[in-house]
Amino acid sequence: MKKETNTATPSEDASHRVWHLARNELEEDVAGLEYALMRGFEAFGRWQGECLASVMDISASGPENAMLHIIRMHDRPKTIKELARLTNRDDIPNMQYSLRKLVAAGLVSRHGSGRSGVTYTVTEQGRQVTDRYADVRATLFITAIQSIPELRNRLKDAAATIDLLTGIYEQAARHAATQRHFNQSS
C-alpha cells in the first residue's frame, strides 16, 4: 500500500485552517499562543480563587486575589495608581470595588484621604491569609513545577516572552486606538 504525501504548501492547502485568526503559519502560531494565554489566564484565575478559598472563606476573583498579593508585595503601602501600574490595569472603578471588598473582608486597610493620599496595606489577618496561601501554593503548585525537569529554567524565558508580548500588545492597542475614528468614518 503506497503512502500518500501532501505536497501542497501551507498557503496552497489552507483547508486544515478553520480559524479566521490563523490564515498562515505565523498567524497560526500567534493564534495558538493567544488561545493558550486565554486558557492560561482563566486557569490561573480559577487556581487563585480556589487557593484563596482553601485558606479563608471568601469568594474572590483572580484579579482581587492578585491585588491582595500585590498590596502585600515588599510589605509597603500602595496607592491605587501604583496598583494599576503594577497590574497593568486601567479599570479604576473595578479596582476600587475590589479594594472595598478586600477592606470589608478585613484583609486590607485603607489609610489617608483625597485622591493622591490614599494607600492600602494588608492587615494582620491579610498577612496570615497570604502566608497560608503561600504555603498552599508551595505544596500544590511549586511542588508540581519541581517535578517537571527543566521547567524551572523555562519559567524565566516564559516570563520574559510574556513581558515582551505585553509591550507589543500595548503598542498595537495604541495604534488600533488611533485608527478607530478613521475606520468608523469610512
Side-chain angles (χ1 to χ4, degrees), residues 12-61:
E12 292 172 333
D13 181 18
S15 63
H16 71 283
R17 292 188 188 95
V18 292
W19 197 7
H20 65 284
L21 296 176
R23 299 173 295 188
N24 59 47
E25 287 184 25
L26 177 58
E27 287 185 0
E28 193 172 317
D29 292 344
V30 171
L33 172 73
E34 290 173 338
Y35 189 43
L37 285 171
M38 288 181 236
R39 291 188 321 268
F41 174 77
E42 295 300 330
F44 180 59
R46 270 191 305 282
W47 154 250
Q48 288 179 304
E50 292 299 329
C51 190
L52 186 60
S54 75
V55 299
M56 180 184 184
D57 187 24
I58 184 173
S59 176
S61 67

Side-chain angles (χ1 to χ4, degrees), residues 97-135:
Y97 172 79
S98 295
L99 287 165
R100 285 191 300 272
K101 190 172 173 180
L102 293 171
V103 168
L107 301 173
V108 169
S109 60
R110 181 181 191 269
H111 307 278
S113 61
R115 285 189 166 203
S116 60
V118 177
T119 60
Y120 298 89
T121 58
V122 292
T123 62
E124 184 54 39
Q125 180 184 2
R127 184 174 304 282
Q128 292 170 8
V129 165
T130 54
D131 282 344
R132 288 196 313 263
Y133 179 101
D135 292 341

Side-chain angles (χ1 to χ4, degrees), residues 21 27 29-38 88 161-177:
L21 296 176
E27 287 185 0
D29 292 344
V30 171
L33 172 73
E34 290 173 338
Y35 189 43
L37 285 171
M38 288 181 236
N88 198 28
T161 300
I162 290 171
D163 282 343
L164 178 63
L165 286 169
T166 298
I168 294 170
Y169 278 118
E170 287 293 332
Q171 178 63 27
R174 282 190 296 277
H175 184 69

